[in-house]
Amino acid sequence: MTPSVIKLKVTDEDRRIAWLATAAVGLSLVDAAIPSPLPGVKPGLANIVTLVVLARYGWATAVWVSGLRVLAGSLLLGYFLAPGFFLSLTGTVFSLATLGLTRHLPARWFGPVSLSIFAAFAHIGGQLLLARLWLIPHDGVFLLTPIFSLAALVFGTINGLIATKLLNELPSQPEPSCA
Amino acid sequence: MAWLALIKPGDWLVILLGMLVVGISFPLFWQGGLADRAIVRQNGQIFANLDLRAKRQLAVPGPLGQTLIAIEPGRARVVSDPGPRQYCVRQGWLMRPGEIAICAPNRVSLQITGRTKVYDSISY
Protein backbone atom coordinates (compact mmCIF):
# COMPACT_ATOMS: atom_id res chain seq x y z
CA MET A 1 0.00 0.00 0.00
CA THR A 2 1.39 3.31 -0.97
CA PRO A 3 1.51 5.98 1.70
CA SER A 4 0.17 9.37 0.86
CA VAL A 5 1.76 10.70 -2.29
CA ILE A 6 2.93 14.27 -2.15
CA LYS A 7 1.20 16.03 -4.97
CA LEU A 8 2.58 19.38 -6.02
CA LYS A 9 -0.01 21.62 -7.45
CA VAL A 10 1.21 23.07 -10.73
CA THR A 11 -0.34 26.43 -11.42
CA ASP A 12 -0.63 28.13 -14.78
CA GLU A 13 1.97 30.57 -13.56
CA ASP A 14 4.42 27.69 -12.98
CA ARG A 15 3.80 26.37 -16.48
CA ARG A 16 4.29 29.76 -18.00
CA ILE A 17 7.57 30.29 -16.14
CA ALA A 18 8.78 26.85 -17.21
CA TRP A 19 8.01 27.53 -20.88
CA LEU A 20 9.58 30.95 -20.87
CA ALA A 21 12.65 29.65 -19.03
CA THR A 22 12.95 26.94 -21.68
CA ALA A 23 12.97 29.58 -24.38
CA ALA A 24 15.64 31.51 -22.45
CA VAL A 25 17.76 28.38 -22.00
CA GLY A 26 17.48 27.69 -25.72
CA LEU A 27 18.75 31.16 -26.50
CA SER A 28 21.59 30.71 -23.98
CA LEU A 29 22.68 27.67 -25.94
CA VAL A 30 22.57 29.65 -29.18
CA ASP A 31 24.58 32.34 -27.40
CA ALA A 32 27.22 29.85 -26.34
CA ALA A 33 27.51 28.54 -29.90
CA ILE A 34 28.35 31.98 -31.29
CA PRO A 35 32.12 32.41 -31.37
CA SER A 36 33.33 35.35 -29.35
CA PRO A 37 36.56 37.31 -29.76
CA LEU A 38 36.92 37.77 -26.02
CA PRO A 39 35.50 35.72 -23.15
CA GLY A 40 32.64 37.71 -21.69
CA VAL A 41 31.67 39.47 -24.90
CA LYS A 42 28.44 37.69 -25.78
CA PRO A 43 25.20 38.87 -27.37
CA GLY A 44 23.19 37.70 -24.36
CA LEU A 45 20.22 36.71 -26.48
CA ALA A 46 18.45 35.14 -23.51
CA ASN A 47 17.96 38.62 -22.12
CA ILE A 48 15.42 39.21 -24.88
CA VAL A 49 13.20 36.72 -23.08
CA THR A 50 13.82 38.48 -19.77
CA LEU A 51 12.81 41.81 -21.29
CA VAL A 52 9.65 40.43 -22.86
CA VAL A 53 8.71 38.64 -19.63
CA LEU A 54 9.35 41.78 -17.62
CA ALA A 55 7.04 43.80 -19.83
CA ARG A 56 4.34 41.13 -20.02
CA TYR A 57 4.30 39.38 -16.66
CA GLY A 58 6.19 41.62 -14.28
CA TRP A 59 9.45 41.61 -12.41
CA ALA A 60 8.90 38.56 -10.20
CA THR A 61 8.32 36.32 -13.22
CA ALA A 62 11.38 37.80 -14.90
CA VAL A 63 13.45 36.90 -11.84
CA TRP A 64 12.17 33.32 -11.94
CA VAL A 65 12.79 32.94 -15.65
CA SER A 66 16.31 34.40 -15.45
CA GLY A 67 17.21 32.39 -12.38
CA LEU A 68 16.08 29.14 -13.96
CA ARG A 69 17.87 30.06 -17.16
CA VAL A 70 21.19 30.58 -15.34
CA LEU A 71 20.78 27.32 -13.46
CA ALA A 72 19.60 25.14 -16.35
CA GLY A 73 21.90 26.82 -18.87
CA SER A 74 24.95 26.18 -16.69
CA LEU A 75 23.94 22.54 -16.18
CA LEU A 76 23.46 22.01 -19.91
CA LEU A 77 26.71 23.72 -20.85
CA GLY A 78 28.59 22.06 -18.02
CA TYR A 79 29.80 25.03 -16.01
CA PHE A 80 27.49 24.72 -13.01
CA LEU A 81 29.34 26.03 -9.90
CA ALA A 82 32.40 26.82 -12.04
CA PRO A 83 33.64 30.44 -12.10
CA GLY A 84 31.58 31.08 -15.22
CA PHE A 85 28.44 30.16 -13.30
CA PHE A 86 29.11 32.73 -10.61
CA LEU A 87 29.95 35.35 -13.20
CA SER A 88 26.71 34.58 -14.97
CA LEU A 89 24.77 34.64 -11.69
CA THR A 90 26.29 37.93 -10.57
CA GLY A 91 25.59 39.55 -13.92
CA THR A 92 22.00 38.33 -13.81
CA VAL A 93 21.46 39.52 -10.22
CA PHE A 94 22.84 42.96 -11.07
CA SER A 95 20.83 43.33 -14.24
CA LEU A 96 17.62 42.09 -12.59
CA ALA A 97 18.09 44.61 -9.77
CA THR A 98 18.63 47.33 -12.37
CA LEU A 99 15.55 46.22 -14.31
CA GLY A 100 13.60 46.34 -11.03
CA LEU A 101 14.51 50.00 -10.71
CA THR A 102 14.42 51.13 -14.33
CA ARG A 103 11.06 49.52 -15.17
CA HIS A 104 9.47 52.37 -13.25
CA LEU A 105 10.73 54.83 -15.87
CA PRO A 106 7.82 56.41 -17.75
CA ALA A 107 6.92 53.93 -20.51
CA ARG A 108 5.89 56.78 -22.78
CA TRP A 109 9.50 57.82 -23.15
CA PHE A 110 11.54 54.77 -22.30
CA GLY A 111 11.01 51.43 -24.03
CA PRO A 112 12.68 48.04 -23.63
CA VAL A 113 15.72 49.44 -25.47
CA SER A 114 16.50 51.67 -22.49
CA LEU A 115 15.94 48.87 -19.99
CA SER A 116 18.09 46.55 -22.07
CA ILE A 117 21.00 48.99 -22.17
CA PHE A 118 20.79 49.69 -18.44
CA ALA A 119 20.65 45.98 -17.71
CA ALA A 120 23.58 45.23 -20.02
CA PHE A 121 25.75 47.82 -18.29
CA ALA A 122 24.72 46.50 -14.86
CA HIS A 123 25.54 43.00 -16.09
CA ILE A 124 29.13 43.78 -17.06
CA GLY A 125 29.53 46.04 -14.03
CA GLY A 126 28.63 43.20 -11.70
CA GLN A 127 30.81 40.74 -13.56
CA LEU A 128 33.84 43.02 -13.58
CA LEU A 129 33.36 43.62 -9.87
CA LEU A 130 33.21 39.90 -9.13
CA ALA A 131 36.20 39.24 -11.38
CA ARG A 132 38.21 41.96 -9.64
CA LEU A 133 37.24 40.82 -6.12
CA TRP A 134 37.55 37.11 -6.61
CA LEU A 135 38.93 35.73 -9.87
CA ILE A 136 41.63 38.21 -10.89
CA PRO A 137 42.49 40.37 -7.87
CA HIS A 138 44.36 42.90 -9.92
CA ASP A 139 43.30 46.23 -11.38
CA GLY A 140 44.35 44.92 -14.77
CA VAL A 141 40.85 43.47 -15.21
CA PHE A 142 39.51 46.97 -15.57
CA LEU A 143 41.50 47.37 -18.78
CA LEU A 144 38.68 45.36 -20.32
CA THR A 145 36.04 47.85 -19.20
CA PRO A 146 35.96 49.92 -22.41
CA ILE A 147 35.53 46.82 -24.58
CA PHE A 148 32.88 45.34 -22.31
CA SER A 149 30.96 48.60 -22.11
CA LEU A 150 31.04 48.96 -25.88
CA ALA A 151 29.71 45.41 -26.20
CA ALA A 152 27.05 46.18 -23.59
CA LEU A 153 25.89 49.20 -25.54
CA VAL A 154 25.79 47.44 -28.89
CA PHE A 155 24.20 44.18 -27.76
CA GLY A 156 21.97 45.94 -25.23
CA THR A 157 20.53 48.09 -28.00
CA ILE A 158 20.07 45.16 -30.40
CA ASN A 159 18.42 42.93 -27.78
CA GLY A 160 16.20 45.80 -26.70
CA LEU A 161 15.09 46.34 -30.30
CA ILE A 162 14.31 42.65 -30.78
CA ALA A 163 12.36 42.62 -27.51
CA THR A 164 10.40 45.71 -28.58
CA LYS A 165 9.59 44.12 -31.92
CA LEU A 166 8.45 40.91 -30.26
CA LEU A 167 6.27 42.83 -27.81
CA ASN A 168 4.72 44.78 -30.67
CA GLU A 169 4.06 41.72 -32.79
CA LEU A 170 2.65 39.53 -30.05
CA PRO A 171 0.11 41.82 -28.45
CA SER A 172 -1.22 40.44 -25.15
CA GLN A 173 -0.07 36.96 -25.96
CA PRO A 174 -2.34 34.13 -24.80
CA GLU A 175 -1.10 31.36 -22.53
CA PRO A 176 1.88 29.57 -24.07
CA SER A 177 0.28 26.46 -25.47
CA CYS A 178 1.52 23.24 -23.95
CA ALA A 179 1.67 21.47 -27.26
CA MET B 1 13.92 52.08 -41.19
CA ALA B 2 11.27 50.04 -39.41
CA TRP B 3 13.68 49.31 -36.58
CA LEU B 4 14.35 52.95 -35.84
CA ALA B 5 10.64 53.52 -35.25
CA LEU B 6 10.87 51.17 -32.27
CA ILE B 7 13.22 53.50 -30.43
CA LYS B 8 11.46 55.96 -28.14
CA PRO B 9 12.84 59.45 -27.42
CA GLY B 10 14.09 58.41 -23.99
CA ASP B 11 15.80 55.43 -25.56
CA TRP B 12 17.83 57.77 -27.76
CA LEU B 13 18.84 59.59 -24.60
CA VAL B 14 19.95 56.33 -23.00
CA ILE B 15 21.84 55.30 -26.14
CA LEU B 16 23.57 58.68 -26.14
CA LEU B 17 24.38 58.26 -22.45
CA GLY B 18 25.78 54.81 -23.18
CA MET B 19 27.95 56.20 -25.97
CA LEU B 20 29.20 58.83 -23.56
CA VAL B 21 30.08 56.20 -20.97
CA VAL B 22 31.88 54.12 -23.61
CA GLY B 23 33.67 57.21 -24.91
CA ILE B 24 34.81 58.21 -21.45
CA SER B 25 35.82 54.70 -20.46
CA PHE B 26 38.50 54.43 -23.12
CA PRO B 27 40.74 57.28 -21.92
CA LEU B 28 39.74 56.60 -18.32
CA PHE B 29 40.78 52.97 -18.22
CA TRP B 30 43.44 53.06 -20.89
CA GLN B 31 45.16 55.99 -19.27
CA GLY B 32 48.73 56.84 -19.86
CA GLY B 33 48.04 57.12 -23.54
CA LEU B 34 50.29 55.52 -26.05
CA ALA B 35 53.72 54.20 -25.35
CA ASP B 36 56.14 57.05 -25.79
CA ARG B 37 59.60 56.14 -24.59
CA ALA B 38 61.53 53.09 -23.46
CA ILE B 39 63.82 53.30 -20.48
CA VAL B 40 66.59 50.73 -20.33
CA ARG B 41 68.27 50.27 -16.99
CA GLN B 42 71.48 48.45 -16.24
CA ASN B 43 72.18 47.65 -12.60
CA GLY B 44 69.56 50.19 -11.57
CA GLN B 45 71.14 53.03 -13.52
CA ILE B 46 69.49 54.42 -16.60
CA PHE B 47 71.44 53.03 -19.52
CA ALA B 48 69.36 54.51 -22.31
CA ASN B 49 66.18 56.52 -22.67
CA LEU B 50 64.90 55.81 -26.16
CA ASP B 51 62.21 57.33 -28.31
CA LEU B 52 59.72 54.74 -29.50
CA ARG B 53 59.38 56.27 -32.93
CA ALA B 54 62.30 54.85 -34.82
CA LYS B 55 63.23 51.24 -35.30
CA ARG B 56 66.49 50.26 -33.70
CA GLN B 57 68.35 47.62 -31.74
CA LEU B 58 70.38 48.03 -28.60
CA ALA B 59 72.84 45.75 -26.87
CA VAL B 60 73.16 46.18 -23.12
CA PRO B 61 76.15 44.62 -21.41
CA GLY B 62 75.62 42.93 -18.06
CA PRO B 63 77.43 40.54 -15.75
CA LEU B 64 76.32 37.50 -17.78
CA GLY B 65 76.71 38.92 -21.25
CA GLN B 66 74.69 41.02 -23.64
CA THR B 67 70.97 41.62 -23.46
CA LEU B 68 69.58 42.56 -26.84
CA ILE B 69 66.68 45.00 -26.96
CA ALA B 70 64.62 45.85 -30.03
CA ILE B 71 62.71 49.10 -30.42
CA GLU B 72 59.93 49.51 -32.98
CA PRO B 73 57.42 52.29 -33.44
CA GLY B 74 55.17 52.11 -30.38
CA ARG B 75 56.67 49.01 -28.85
CA ALA B 76 59.82 47.42 -27.50
CA ARG B 77 60.98 43.97 -26.49
CA VAL B 78 63.88 42.01 -25.14
CA VAL B 79 65.09 39.92 -28.05
CA SER B 80 67.68 37.83 -26.27
CA ASP B 81 69.15 37.58 -22.83
CA PRO B 82 71.82 35.35 -21.34
CA GLY B 83 69.67 34.67 -18.24
CA PRO B 84 68.69 31.06 -17.51
CA ARG B 85 64.89 31.41 -17.36
CA GLN B 86 64.24 33.89 -20.18
CA TYR B 87 61.25 35.49 -18.45
CA CYS B 88 61.92 38.92 -19.93
CA VAL B 89 62.31 37.51 -23.44
CA ARG B 90 59.11 35.50 -23.20
CA GLN B 91 57.16 38.59 -22.20
CA GLY B 92 57.30 39.60 -25.83
CA TRP B 93 56.41 43.05 -27.05
CA LEU B 94 55.75 45.72 -24.44
CA MET B 95 53.46 48.41 -25.77
CA ARG B 96 51.61 49.96 -22.85
CA PRO B 97 52.98 52.64 -20.53
CA GLY B 98 54.07 51.11 -17.25
CA GLU B 99 54.91 47.72 -18.72
CA ILE B 100 58.30 46.41 -17.75
CA ALA B 101 60.46 43.42 -18.60
CA ILE B 102 63.12 42.60 -16.04
CA CYS B 103 66.06 40.40 -16.88
CA ALA B 104 67.15 40.02 -13.29
CA PRO B 105 70.17 37.72 -13.76
CA ASN B 106 71.76 40.16 -16.18
CA ARG B 107 70.51 43.16 -14.17
CA VAL B 108 68.79 44.74 -17.15
CA SER B 109 65.28 46.13 -17.25
CA LEU B 110 63.22 47.59 -20.05
CA GLN B 111 60.33 49.86 -19.15
CA ILE B 112 57.76 51.64 -21.30
CA THR B 113 56.62 55.11 -20.37
CA GLY B 114 53.92 57.34 -21.76
CA ARG B 115 53.15 61.02 -21.61
CA THR B 116 51.60 60.68 -18.17
CA LYS B 117 53.24 58.67 -15.49
CA VAL B 118 51.40 55.48 -14.59
CA TYR B 119 51.99 53.75 -11.31
CA ASP B 120 51.76 50.04 -10.93
CA SER B 121 50.45 48.34 -7.86
CA ILE B 122 53.90 48.08 -6.32
CA SER B 123 54.68 51.75 -6.25
CA TYR B 124 52.20 52.93 -3.63
Side-chain angles (χ1 to χ4, degrees):
Chain A
M1 185 178 131
T2 2
S4 66
V5 178
I6 296 170
K7 192 129 179 151
L8 291 174
K9 196 158 154 22
V10 181
T11 62
D12 284 344
E13 172 78 359
D14 294 339
R15 281 209 184 83
R16 183 193 297 145
I17 288 173
W19 273 102
L20 292 165
T22 311
V25 169
L27 284 176
S28 300
L29 297 185
V30 174
D31 229 14
I34 297 172
S36 150
L38 187 76
V41 175
K42 286 200 300 179
L45 296 171
N47 298 318
I48 298 167
V49 178
T50 311
L51 289 166
V52 172
V53 169
L54 181 74
R56 270 288 137 73
Y57 306 108
W59 189 69
T61 312
V63 171
W64 268 109
V65 169
S66 295
L68 286 171
R69 188 253 302 166
V70 170
L71 187 70
S74 68
L75 285 171
L76 282 173
L77 292 167
Y79 65 86
F80 179 57
L81 294 187
F85 170 75
F86 292 102
L87 282 172
S88 173
L89 188 67
T90 313
T92 304
V93 168
F94 271 69
S95 54
L96 282 172
T98 307
L99 286 175
L101 293 174
T102 50
R103 78 199 169 105
H104 298 298
L105 285 169
R108 215 171 99 78
W109 300 102
F110 298 95
V113 177
S114 294
L115 301 194
S116 179
I117 293 172
F118 279 125
F121 273 98
H123 197 273
I124 54 139
Q127 291 192 325
L128 276 171
L129 218 60
L130 181 74
R132 172 64 183 84
L133 293 176
W134 177 43
L135 297 171
I136 310 164
H138 184 272
D139 282 339
V141 220
F142 292 125
L143 286 175
L144 296 170
T145 309
I147 296 168
F148 282 164
S149 53
L150 183 65
L153 180 63
V154 172
F155 293 129
T157 309
I158 294 172
N159 289 344
L161 281 172
I162 297 174
T164 314
K165 200 164 173 65
L166 282 177
L167 284 164
N168 284 352
E169 287 185 2
L170 312 164
S172 60
Q173 175 197 18
E175 285 300 298
S177 64
C178 299
Chain B
M1 265 301 273
W3 286 99
L4 286 181
L6 300 173
I7 303 178
K8 294 183 181 178
D11 295 339
W12 283 115
L13 206 71
V14 174
I15 292 172
L16 220 66
L17 198 77
M19 284 177 176
L20 206 70
V21 169
V22 172
I24 289 171
S25 73
F26 274 91
L28 189 69
F29 289 96
W30 293 2
Q31 57 167 296
L34 295 167
D36 212 25
R37 301 189 77 80
I39 298 174
V40 180
R41 286 193 179 83
Q42 211 290 311
N43 213 359
Q45 310 297 315
I46 291 181
F47 180 83
N49 190 334
L50 305 161
D51 204 331
L52 284 187
R53 265 179 294 191
K55 195 171 168 156
R56 64 172 289 189
Q57 289 228 339
L58 180 74
V60 188
L64 298 184
Q66 287 210 324
T67 299
L68 207 60
I69 285 166
I71 309 282
E72 274 190 18
R75 57 185 196 169
R77 73 171 294 175
V78 178
V79 178
S80 70
D81 178 67
R85 282 170 291 271
Q86 301 286 305
Y87 290 136
C88 56
V89 180
R90 276 150 61 183
Q91 255 180 283
W93 289 106
L94 312 178
M95 47 186 90
R96 287 183 40 76
E99 275 192 306
I100 186 165
I102 303 171
C103 308
N106 208 25
R107 300 188 184 170
V108 173
S109 76
L110 167 67
Q111 187 177 16
I112 306 292
T113 58
R115 276 170 286 109
T116 47
K117 195 156 168 57
V118 197
Y119 296 96
D120 62 18
S121 53
I122 307 163
S123 48
Y124 62 79

